[in-house]
Amino acid sequence: MLRLGRPDVKSVLRERDWWRDAVIYQVYPRSFADSDGDGTGDLPGVTARLPYLADLGVDGLWLSPFYRSPLADAGYDVADYRDVDPRFGTLADVDTLIARADDLGLAVLVDLVPNHSSDQHPWFQAAVAAGPGSPERARYLFRDGRRATGELPPNNWRSGFGGPGWTRITEPDGRPGQWYLHLFDVHQPDFDWTCPDVRAEFESVLRFWLDRGVAGFRVDVAHGLIKAPGLPDLTRTPEELATLPTHASPFWDQDGVHEVYAAWRRLLESYGPPDRVLCAEAWVSPPERMARYLRPEEMHQGFAFDFLGCRWDATQLRMVIDAELHTMGAVGAPSTWVLSNHDVVRHASRLGTADPGPVTGGIRAGDPQPDRALGLRRARAATLLMLALPGAAYLYQGEELGLPEHTRLPDEVREDPVWVRSEHAHAGRDGCRVPIPWSAQAPGFGFSPTGATWLPQPPEFAEYAADAQDGVPGSTVELYRAALRLRREHRLGRGRLAWVSAMSSEVLAFDTYGVRVIVNLSSETAALPDGWSVICQSGPLESADAVPVDTAVWLAPARTCG
Ligand code: NOJ
């Protein structure tokens, strides 16, 4: 039973609305820590490393999917929402993990994947077997094809991973039959959320995990559940769509999603206090549309992907931060900042490219390679910026080590369906999912007791290993520890941001809860203001009165003697 907020544990979870400024660490179980030596990370591996997370100073962790799955999309293809894949452990391992996390004052969020299941899910198997017009088919989006023989897909929608969005099945009698929609891989059929069975099933799944003690859910593809009535053809070009609100597309951000989340919020509230939370993974624009997910009766958090995707440019960052704070603030929601996750090029590499903006397609050996030193310097500065902003923040495993993307993975080891479905136009996301290094000298950098790793690690991971940084002044892990401690002490997540405009337009400067934050994105050093002392710095300061290029500092009012 969940004991969130035990009085004997130093934890933000004692507060009812702890999520407003929580820092949550994303664990990608397959690549975090392997306890049994098979080269795949697992839940006992996570449990063994929970003291590391508590020591880092985060408030909780979000576990990417560990459910029973053929892993056609790394577990975002769920075959059983109430069981653990044997490669990751057992339900008993989840219980142990939650109990140990609770002892350490860490909240555990799990991933909920409601837009689609695996094609191995019993419901999909039953739908195929039951035939057209059956109640089993009504749980998914099966349609007849166009033309008299049905040989053309029902509409022109494409999969987000590349290729057609529809696949035709063979009916039980052996004839070519209906088509089913999959906005992602062919092995991920979309549910039909107008079907009452689907709604009831997911409410039951929510209860299953809440009863086991989870503190909340990161909701996958939260903007995709409802499709426009009649499934009309997409009439806009990709270029047009890029300039239009997301809901110009008939399968994203349709208004009907909101009643689903309102129902879930009511369900979660029956478990509190403290609050159990919903965090939206919704790639939605403009920000006003995102705010609709975060109205008081809906979700608690939603990732600020405009921040993650913003160029390393002070003016643009300031605009994104202002828009985010203003728009989410208007509905009483916190902003939820994030710089890296398992779907994008790690920020330590992204910010070291010639054009440091969003990179979602991955980087291959033949592509221009990021500048590792530059990327890391900027990544550390970006992290200090993020952790000073009012609101919540999510970290991605390995970023506290300054870990770069693996940009030279051999093509033959790639597992991301994006690689295949894009017909090799995009490398995909494997480069940010490589098992992380714990120990510089051990085989597999200590990821597993045998040294086995499901994806190969590059030799330079040795430099980033946790044990090579532990206790080393100025290391990235020590920077994260210091920043998280100071953020908590100064309650920066609850602060109010006030820009300080006296500095150059290429320098971000703001005050929040008595702390001044300066991030120098210009090409020359920026003067430190008088009367302030440095309490945290993302990199070395060459002199006591200047902030170097691509460096961030937190300042507190200097104490005067006498
Ligand atoms: C978003 C997840 O983060 C991503 O990894 C996955 O491929 C898609 N949703 C489909 O579930």
Side-chain angles (χ1 to χ4, degrees), residues 73 75-79 81 112-119 121 139-140 161 181-185 187-193 198 202 220-221 224-225 227 252 281:
D73 182 22
Y76 284 93
D77 49 317
V78 180
Y81 289 88
L112 189 74
V113 189
N115 180 67
H116 45 263
S117 70
S118 161
D119 61 354
H121 190 287
R139 295 165 173 162
Y140 291 90
F161 290 165
L181 178 71
H182 50 88
L183 290 182
F184 295 93
D185 190 62
H187 300 296
Q188 293 168 295
D190 281 49
F191 285 115
D192 184 345
W193 271 86
V198 174
F202 274 91
D220 189 62
V221 199
L225 274 46
K227 281 73 179 176
W252 296 138
E281 190 233 9

Side-chain angles (χ1 to χ4, degrees), residues 16-17 54 113 186 194 251 290 326 414 435 507 524 551:
R16 186 194 168 95
D17 60 352
V113 189
V186 60
T194 65
F251 40 86
M290 184 66 218
H326 174 78
R414 297 189 188 284
V507 176
E524 36 193 63
T551 301

Side-chain angles (χ1 to χ4, degrees), residues 188-508:
Q188 293 168 295
D190 281 49
F191 285 115
D192 184 345
W193 271 86
T194 65
C195 173
D197 283 5
V198 174
R199 293 186 187 227
E201 171 66 0
F202 274 91
E203 293 194 4
S204 157
V205 168
L206 287 172
R207 287 188 191 283
F208 179 86
W209 291 105
L210 289 164
D211 289 341
R212 291 201 107 83
V214 304
F217 303 87
R218 175 267 191 191
V219 180
D220 189 62
V221 199
H223 56 313
L225 274 46
I226 299 290
K227 281 73 179 176
L231 311 184
D233 269 340
L234 182 60
T235 54
R236 314 279 193 170
T237 64
E239 294 71 33
E240 285 172 331
L241 286 174
T243 65
L244 292 169
T246 314
H247 62 281
S249 165
F251 40 86
W252 296 138
D253 193 26
Q254 302 296 301
D255 287 345
V257 295
H258 295 289
E259 60 175 299
V260 175
Y261 303 131
W264 291 3
R265 176 73 175 245
R266 289 192 295 275
L267 190 159
L268 261 66
E269 293 203 335
S270 69
Y271 281 79
D275 295 340
R276 273 47 167 193
V277 303
L278 297 167
C279 176
E281 190 233 9
W283 296 82
V284 163
S285 70
E288 289 72 18
R289 293 290 298 190
M290 184 66 218
R292 291 160 57 90
Y293 291 73
L294 306 183
R295 290 175 288 194
E297 68 279 11
E298 293 193 36
M299 295 199 173
H300 304 76
Q301 302 175 326
F303 294 116
F305 287 130
D306 286 349
F307 180 70
L308 179 151
C310 189
R311 289 177 51 75
W312 188 241
D313 174 280
T315 307
Q316 291 189 31
L317 276 167
R318 184 172 164 159
M319 274 169 40
V320 164
I321 292 167
D322 276 342
E324 175 68 27
L325 289 174
H326 174 78
T327 317
M328 305 314 142
V331 292
S335 294
T336 300
W337 309 103
V338 60
L339 284 164
S340 281
N341 65 30
H342 65 292
D343 289 331
V344 299
V345 171
R346 286 179 174 277
H347 68 288
S349 295
R350 207 169 68 223
L351 297 177
T353 58
D355 181 23
V359 186
T360 48
I363 299 176
R364 291 171 71 197
D367 295 332
Q369 295 294 298
D371 177 331
R372 274 205 284 142
L374 176 66
L376 181 56
R377 190 160 72 242
R378 288 178 173 167
R380 291 166 53 120
T383 296
L384 273 204
L385 165 64
M386 174 173 83
L387 292 178
L389 293 172
Y394 278 65
L395 310 178
Y396 177 48
Q397 66 180 35
E399 71 166 79
E400 79 282 11
L401 306 174
L403 205 64
E405 187 86 356
H406 190 340
T407 55
R408 298 182 314 281
L409 269 178
D411 288 341
E412 57 277 13
V413 304
R414 297 189 188 284
E415 293 213 4
D416 185 356
V418 168
W419 169 242
V420 174
R421 287 192 67 85
S422 71
E423 295 177 344
H424 304 176
H426 300 297
R429 302 161 293 179
D430 294 304
C432 64
R433 300 173 175 180
V434 173
I436 65 171
W438 292 97
S439 170
Q441 302 303 327
F445 303 123
F447 169 72
S448 89
T450 56
T453 60
W454 71 276
L455 280 176
Q457 301 157 306
E460 64 266 21
F461 267 25
E463 294 166 41
Y464 301 88
D467 70 347
Q469 300 193 36
D470 192 27
V472 176
S475 69
T476 305
V477 81
E478 293 301 341
L479 172 67
Y480 271 72
R481 285 178 180 145
L484 289 167
R485 180 176 47 77
L486 287 163
R487 173 187 158 92
R488 190 179 287 207
E489 272 169 30
H490 291 270
R491 304 301 316 260
L492 294 182
R494 302 270 173 161
R496 290 179 71 86
L497 179 148
W499 295 105
V500 178
S501 52
M503 306 190 84
S504 135
S505 63
E506 293 174 83
V507 176
L508 293 174

